[in-house]
Amino acid sequence: LIANRAIPILCSPGPEQLSVTLDDPAIGRLAAEHLQVHGARSFVYQASSRPGSNPCRERREAAFAQRLADGGH
């Protein structure tokens, strides 16, 4: 629910344990939007891991591609 509202999340399993999580889809969307706003017309997504080996990368890539598709690319 919180992720759907684009709210950053701070997870705290206990008073002495804090961690920060990243919104991978938002990272991908923001990267695509940044390139589009600055006039880019051709796009490449470079990844350093094998397909299927990095779920974070895959979520970012999917959101990047979806944002470009939504923008007509």
Side-chain angles (χ1 to χ4, degrees), residues 8 13 17 19 27 54-55:
Q17 302 169 334
S19 65
I27 292 168
N54 187 331

Side-chain angles (χ1 to χ4, degrees), residues 6-36:
I7 298 172
I9 301 169
L10 176 64
C11 298
S12 178
E16 302 297 322
Q17 302 169 334
L18 296 176
S19 65
V20 175
T21 60
L22 301 176
D23 184 340
D24 294 311
I27 292 168
R29 281 191 306 276
L30 288 170
E33 289 170 10
H34 174 80
L35 294 171
Q36 289 175 316

